[in-house]
Amino acid sequence: MEYLSYIVAAYAVFVVVLGWDFVAGHWQVRRELHQARARAARAAAARPRSGELSR
């Protein structure tokens, strides 16, 4: 069992990288959704109201 520490370390690194990939992906999706909602709100605020006349 001389390679046990190497195998445990390799699995630990794998789990850490897999976890980071999962968390970073969620952060990116949340950021993009936030930006899309803000962009939609700005576009809705820029549109004229339905009761207003436009040229």
Side-chain angles (χ1 to χ4, degrees):
M1 289 293 180
E2 57 195 47
Y3 295 111
L4 180 63
S5 60
Y6 170 76
I7 291 177
V8 169
Y11 274 104
V13 168
F14 171 74
V15 169
V16 167
V17 169
L18 193 64
W20 176 252
D21 189 42
F22 179 77
V23 169
H26 274 304
W27 284 345
Q28 183 178 6
V29 168
R30 287 180 61 193
R31 184 177 58 243
E32 293 295 329
L33 281 174
H34 177 71
Q35 289 175 353
R37 287 184 185 128
R39 204 169 26 249
R42 283 193 306 269
R47 274 188 242 127
R49 305 274 188 247
S50 60
E52 296 179 5
L53 297 175
S54 62
R55 293 182 179 217

